[in-house]
């Protein structure tokens, strides 16, 4: 499976839903390039499940922090827009995502998720009798996260298995590190956080950094 890092994000229009109940087409690449913003796109397996709502609320709570970093947040799963809207209208007390304001992709035809290679498909077999392809696995997405820069290039791709929720702060750290590289031309060492020393991208820079840390 090839990585998307260093490549342009796929140029695809996908159905999306917002908290107003509007279904519209959303193109993640265009969102980045036209708005001159970074995009955080996070995929989760299914609406109305268990780990998923905790993640959607966590990204919502951090929305201001992402906005400060000139970053648009977009959620995504293979559910239909209608199912998204039902979940958006379900209260937090009942396991819903009421209060989430960022758009959620409804990749129900799986055009984008299959292009990214993030679907839970263990095996595909061709059934000669019926002339159809049969799939093993749920055919829903893993917890995949993409960070895309203002040019539409992917600078981070991370994929968790279904039971493992994400750390929202780590994506802020990655965005900060990438923004630092963009503005200073330096590189960011292990565990770098905003305000810490970065390094010049050469042997001398590495030696000086290691000597003083």
């Amino acid at each position: 499976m090839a990585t998307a890092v260093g490549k342009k994000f796929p140029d695809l229009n996908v159905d999306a839903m917002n908290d107003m109940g509007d279904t519209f087409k959303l193109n993640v690449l265009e969102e980045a390039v036209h708005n001159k913003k970074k995009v955080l796109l996070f995929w989760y397996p299914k609406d109305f499940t268990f780990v998923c709502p905790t993640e959607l609320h966590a990204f919502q709570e951090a929305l201001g922090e992402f906005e400060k970093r000139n970053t648009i947040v977009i959620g995504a799963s293979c559910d239909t827009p209608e199912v998204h809207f039902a979940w958006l209208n379900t209260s937090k007390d009942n396991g819903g995502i009421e209060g989430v304001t960022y758009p959620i992709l409804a990749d129900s035809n799986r055009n984008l998720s299959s292009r990214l290679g993030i679907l839970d498909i263990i095996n595909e077999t061709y059934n000669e009798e019926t002339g159809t392809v049969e799939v093993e696995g749920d055919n829903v997405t893993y917890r995949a996260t993409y960070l895309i820069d203002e040019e539409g290039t992917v600078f981070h791709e991370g994929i968790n298995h279904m039971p493992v929720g994400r750390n929202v702060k780590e994506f802020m750290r990655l965005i900060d590190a990438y923004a630092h590289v963009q503005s200073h031309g330096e590189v960011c060492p292990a565990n770098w956080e905003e305000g810490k020393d970065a390094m010049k991208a050469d042997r001398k820079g590495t030696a000086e950094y290691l000597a003083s840390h």
Side-chain angles (χ1 to χ4, degrees), residues 9 26-33 35 37-42 70-74 145-150 153 155-156 175:
F9 194 80
L26 195 151
N27 183 315
V28 175
L29 177 70
E30 285 180 3
E31 286 296 302
V33 176
N35 294 303
K37 287 178 187 274
K38 293 181 175 70
V39 174
L40 184 154
L41 170 67
F42 74 97
N70 197 37
T71 301
I72 298 166
V73 173
I74 300 170
T145 317
Y146 294 86
L147 296 177
I148 300 145
D149 71 14
E150 299 83 349
T153 302
F155 66 92
H156 169 83
I175 291 165

Side-chain angles (χ1 to χ4, degrees), residues 63-81:
L63 214 51
E65 288 298 318
F66 287 112
E67 280 165 6
K68 273 188 218 164
R69 291 163 170 82
N70 197 37
T71 301
I72 298 166
V73 173
I74 300 170
S77 80
C78 296
D79 296 281
T80 63

Side-chain angles (χ1 to χ4, degrees), residues 7 39 43 54 75 92-93 99 110 114 123 142 164 180 205:
K7 304 184 183 92
V39 174
W43 295 82
T54 66
K92 213 172 176 177
D93 305 353
R110 292 164 171 73
S114 57
N123 198 12
Y142 293 111
V164 183
H180 185 91

Side-chain angles (χ1 to χ4, degrees), residues 39-64:
V39 174
L40 184 154
L41 170 67
F42 74 97
W43 295 82
Y44 60 91
K46 292 179 191 169
D47 293 357
F48 292 100
T49 53
F50 316 111
V51 177
C52 298
T54 66
E55 292 194 310
L56 278 99
H57 287 299
F59 280 111
Q60 179 66 34
E61 281 159 27
L63 214 51

Side-chain angles (χ1 to χ4, degrees), residues 16-19 24 26 31 72-76 100-105:
M17 171 58 73
N18 63 20
D19 56 333
F24 56 100
L26 195 151
E31 286 296 302
I72 298 166
V73 173
I74 300 170
V100 164
T101 58
Y102 48 81
I104 306 174
L105 297 184

